[in-house]
Short mmCIF file of all heavy atoms in Angstrom, two decimals:
data_model
loop_
_atom_site.label_atom_id
_atom_site.label_comp_id
_atom_site.label_asym_id
_atom_site.label_seq_id
_atom_site.Cartn_x
_atom_site.Cartn_y
_atom_site.Cartn_z
N LYS A 275 114.43 -51.52 -30.25
CA LYS A 275 114.18 -51.02 -28.89
C LYS A 275 113.82 -49.56 -28.86
O LYS A 275 112.89 -49.12 -28.18
CB LYS A 275 115.45 -51.23 -28.04
CG LYS A 275 115.27 -50.88 -26.55
CD LYS A 275 116.49 -51.26 -25.77
CE LYS A 275 116.32 -50.92 -24.30
NZ LYS A 275 117.48 -51.37 -23.47
N THR A 276 114.53 -48.75 -29.69
CA THR A 276 114.24 -47.32 -29.76
C THR A 276 112.79 -47.07 -30.18
O THR A 276 112.09 -46.26 -29.57
CB THR A 276 115.20 -46.65 -30.75
OG1 THR A 276 116.54 -46.82 -30.30
CG2 THR A 276 114.92 -45.16 -30.89
N MET A 277 112.34 -47.75 -31.25
CA MET A 277 110.98 -47.53 -31.76
C MET A 277 109.91 -48.02 -30.77
O MET A 277 108.83 -47.42 -30.65
CB MET A 277 110.82 -48.22 -33.13
CG MET A 277 111.68 -47.63 -34.21
SD MET A 277 111.54 -45.83 -34.38
CE MET A 277 109.89 -45.72 -35.07
N MET A 278 110.21 -49.09 -30.05
CA MET A 278 109.28 -49.61 -29.07
C MET A 278 109.11 -48.61 -27.92
O MET A 278 107.98 -48.30 -27.50
CB MET A 278 109.77 -50.94 -28.50
CG MET A 278 108.89 -51.60 -27.48
SD MET A 278 109.67 -53.01 -26.70
CE MET A 278 110.92 -52.20 -25.66
N LEU A 279 110.22 -48.07 -27.43
CA LEU A 279 110.16 -47.07 -26.33
C LEU A 279 109.50 -45.78 -26.82
O LEU A 279 108.71 -45.18 -26.09
CB LEU A 279 111.57 -46.75 -25.85
CG LEU A 279 112.29 -47.91 -25.11
CD1 LEU A 279 113.77 -47.56 -24.95
CD2 LEU A 279 111.67 -48.17 -23.75
N ALA A 280 109.84 -45.36 -28.05
CA ALA A 280 109.22 -44.15 -28.60
C ALA A 280 107.70 -44.31 -28.73
O ALA A 280 106.93 -43.36 -28.46
CB ALA A 280 109.86 -43.80 -29.95
N GLN A 281 107.24 -45.48 -29.12
CA GLN A 281 105.79 -45.79 -29.25
C GLN A 281 105.15 -45.62 -27.89
O GLN A 281 104.05 -45.02 -27.80
CB GLN A 281 105.61 -47.21 -29.76
CG GLN A 281 104.16 -47.57 -30.05
CD GLN A 281 103.69 -47.16 -31.40
OE1 GLN A 281 104.46 -47.12 -32.34
NE2 GLN A 281 102.41 -46.81 -31.50
N GLN A 282 105.80 -46.10 -26.86
CA GLN A 282 105.23 -45.99 -25.47
C GLN A 282 105.14 -44.54 -25.06
O GLN A 282 104.14 -44.09 -24.48
CB GLN A 282 106.11 -46.75 -24.50
CG GLN A 282 106.09 -48.27 -24.70
CD GLN A 282 107.20 -49.00 -23.98
OE1 GLN A 282 108.00 -48.37 -23.26
NE2 GLN A 282 107.33 -50.31 -24.18
N LEU A 283 106.17 -43.75 -25.33
CA LEU A 283 106.17 -42.35 -24.98
C LEU A 283 105.09 -41.56 -25.75
O LEU A 283 104.47 -40.63 -25.22
CB LEU A 283 107.56 -41.70 -25.26
CG LEU A 283 108.72 -42.25 -24.42
CD1 LEU A 283 110.06 -41.70 -24.96
CD2 LEU A 283 108.59 -41.87 -22.96
N TYR A 284 104.85 -41.96 -26.99
CA TYR A 284 103.85 -41.30 -27.84
C TYR A 284 102.43 -41.65 -27.36
O TYR A 284 101.59 -40.77 -27.26
CB TYR A 284 104.06 -41.73 -29.31
CG TYR A 284 102.90 -41.36 -30.21
CD1 TYR A 284 102.61 -40.03 -30.50
CD2 TYR A 284 102.13 -42.37 -30.78
CE1 TYR A 284 101.53 -39.73 -31.31
CE2 TYR A 284 101.05 -42.06 -31.59
CZ TYR A 284 100.75 -40.74 -31.87
OH TYR A 284 99.72 -40.42 -32.69
N GLU A 285 102.20 -42.92 -27.09
CA GLU A 285 100.85 -43.35 -26.78
C GLU A 285 100.39 -42.89 -25.41
O GLU A 285 99.18 -42.72 -25.16
CB GLU A 285 100.78 -44.90 -26.85
CG GLU A 285 100.86 -45.38 -28.29
CD GLU A 285 100.79 -46.89 -28.44
OE1 GLU A 285 100.86 -47.57 -27.38
OE2 GLU A 285 100.62 -47.38 -29.55
N GLY A 286 101.32 -42.66 -24.51
CA GLY A 286 100.94 -42.11 -23.20
C GLY A 286 101.35 -43.00 -22.05
O GLY A 286 101.20 -44.21 -22.09
N LEU A 287 101.85 -42.38 -21.00
CA LEU A 287 102.27 -43.05 -19.78
C LEU A 287 101.63 -42.37 -18.58
O LEU A 287 101.34 -41.19 -18.61
CB LEU A 287 103.79 -43.03 -19.63
CG LEU A 287 104.58 -43.78 -20.74
CD1 LEU A 287 106.06 -43.43 -20.63
CD2 LEU A 287 104.38 -45.28 -20.63
N GLU A 288 101.40 -43.16 -17.55
CA GLU A 288 100.77 -42.65 -16.33
C GLU A 288 101.71 -41.71 -15.61
O GLU A 288 102.80 -42.12 -15.19
CB GLU A 288 100.35 -43.80 -15.43
CG GLU A 288 99.24 -44.71 -15.95
CD GLU A 288 97.87 -44.08 -15.78
OE1 GLU A 288 97.74 -43.12 -15.00
OE2 GLU A 288 96.91 -44.59 -16.41
N LEU A 289 101.29 -40.47 -15.43
CA LEU A 289 102.09 -39.50 -14.67
C LEU A 289 101.36 -39.12 -13.38
O LEU A 289 100.85 -38.00 -13.22
CB LEU A 289 102.36 -38.25 -15.51
CG LEU A 289 103.12 -38.39 -16.81
CD1 LEU A 289 103.47 -37.00 -17.38
CD2 LEU A 289 104.41 -39.19 -16.64
N GLY A 290 101.25 -40.06 -12.47
CA GLY A 290 100.61 -39.83 -11.17
C GLY A 290 99.18 -39.34 -11.33
O GLY A 290 98.35 -39.95 -12.06
N ARG A 291 98.81 -38.26 -10.69
CA ARG A 291 97.46 -37.72 -10.71
C ARG A 291 97.04 -37.20 -12.09
O ARG A 291 95.84 -37.08 -12.37
CB ARG A 291 97.34 -36.58 -9.67
CG ARG A 291 97.43 -37.04 -8.22
CD ARG A 291 97.28 -35.88 -7.28
NE ARG A 291 97.36 -36.30 -5.90
CZ ARG A 291 97.29 -35.48 -4.89
NH1 ARG A 291 97.14 -34.17 -5.09
NH2 ARG A 291 97.41 -35.95 -3.61
N LYS A 292 97.99 -36.88 -12.90
CA LYS A 292 97.68 -36.37 -14.23
C LYS A 292 97.10 -37.47 -15.16
O LYS A 292 96.52 -37.17 -16.19
CB LYS A 292 98.93 -35.78 -14.90
CG LYS A 292 99.39 -34.47 -14.29
CD LYS A 292 100.51 -33.87 -15.12
CE LYS A 292 100.87 -32.47 -14.66
NZ LYS A 292 101.89 -32.40 -13.82
N GLY A 293 97.29 -38.72 -14.73
CA GLY A 293 96.82 -39.84 -15.53
C GLY A 293 97.70 -40.07 -16.72
O GLY A 293 98.83 -39.61 -16.76
N PRO A 294 97.23 -40.82 -17.75
CA PRO A 294 98.06 -41.05 -18.93
C PRO A 294 98.28 -39.79 -19.74
O PRO A 294 97.36 -39.04 -20.05
CB PRO A 294 97.21 -42.08 -19.71
CG PRO A 294 95.81 -41.91 -19.27
CD PRO A 294 95.88 -41.42 -17.84
N VAL A 295 99.54 -39.56 -20.07
CA VAL A 295 99.95 -38.38 -20.86
C VAL A 295 100.84 -38.80 -22.02
O VAL A 295 101.83 -39.53 -21.82
CB VAL A 295 100.69 -37.34 -19.96
CG1 VAL A 295 101.20 -36.17 -20.81
CG2 VAL A 295 99.82 -36.84 -18.82
#
Side-chain angles (χ1 to χ4, degrees):
K275 184 175 182 176
T276 299
M277 295 308 289
M278 181 189 71
L279 292 168
Q281 185 85 31
Q282 294 165 3
L283 295 171
Y284 166 68
E285 290 181 348
L287 296 168
E288 293 281 345
L289 299 188
R291 292 181 180 178
K292 289 188 173 96
V295 175

